[in-house]
Amino acid sequence: MILLDITGRISPDNDKTNIYHSFFVPEGVDRLIIDYSYSPKTVSSRKTAIKLVKECFEKYGEPLIGRPGEYLPVNNLVTLSLDGCGRYIGAAHRQDGDQKHIISSRLSSPGFIKTEITSGQWRVCLNLHCVNCDIKYSLKVEGVEV
């Protein structure tokens, strides 16, 4: 059964923030399957990417060594963490723009604890580490019954 199915947009104004999506897990769910994706993974405009590289060096007061183009591509990074009924279940701080995670008492994807899927309110957090351009994301949580 689908417990959450959402799409959204993120802009550079959202950089270094979190977006929370809550969902309810009913009795009898044995495992959760989380499908998550976002794009673009990299800034497609070379001109914009070079501008971002220069701004980054200026921000941190570092001299730009070499040409800005040598630091490309400029990537976006939006990761995912999970809480279940007020408990931290884990995180997938991975670079992939397409991810699938399983949570259960017998098997959980790396970064997530093996845990019983308890009935109640759960929450996915999108951690916006680096948003350099407009991003689209999709997040789907499926509950699989025993």
Side-chain angles (χ1 to χ4, degrees):
M1 79 187 73
I2 303 302
L3 304 175
L4 178 69
D5 191 0
I6 192 162
T7 59
R9 293 184 175 279
I10 304 166
S11 78
D13 291 338
N14 304 118
D15 190 41
K16 309 289 185 284
T17 64
N18 296 309
I19 298 173
Y20 295 94
H21 293 290
S22 295
F23 59 97
F24 184 80
V25 175
E27 292 288 337
V29 172
D30 181 58
R31 71 181 177 276
L32 299 176
I33 300 172
I34 301 171
D35 282 306
Y36 165 61
S37 65
Y38 70 95
S39 67
K41 182 62 187 152
T42 61
V43 175
S44 60
S45 164
R46 182 175 173 82
K47 181 179 178 181
T48 300
I50 286 175
K51 179 179 178 258
L52 289 166
V53 168
K54 289 177 181 177
E55 288 173 355
C56 184
F57 276 91
E58 289 173 16
K59 178 180 178 179
Y60 293 103
E62 295 292 327
L64 177 61
I65 299 170
R67 290 179 284 203
E70 295 172 14
Y71 295 88
L72 302 182
V74 172
N75 291 324
N76 294 307
L77 180 60
V78 180
T79 64
L80 178 145
S81 60
L82 179 68
D83 297 327
C85 298
R87 291 183 319 133
Y88 179 75
I89 305 300
H93 285 184
R94 297 171 180 54
Q95 294 289 332
D96 296 339
D98 291 300
Q99 301 177 25
K100 184 172 191 165
H101 306 287
I102 297 171
I103 314 298
S104 77
S105 62
R106 295 174 307 287
L107 170 75
S108 284
S109 297
F112 298 95
I113 62 171
K114 293 178 190 173
T115 185
E116 295 290 330
I117 306 301
T118 55
S119 176
Q121 201 67 31
W122 288 61
R123 178 173 78 162
V124 172
C125 177
L126 300 182
N127 312 113
L128 312 183
H129 299 277
C130 193
V131 179
N132 292 301
C133 63
D134 289 342
I135 295 173
K136 294 179 186 179
Y137 70 90
S138 66
L139 175 63
K140 184 174 167 181
V141 180
E142 180 182 355
V144 179
E145 296 176 284
V146 179

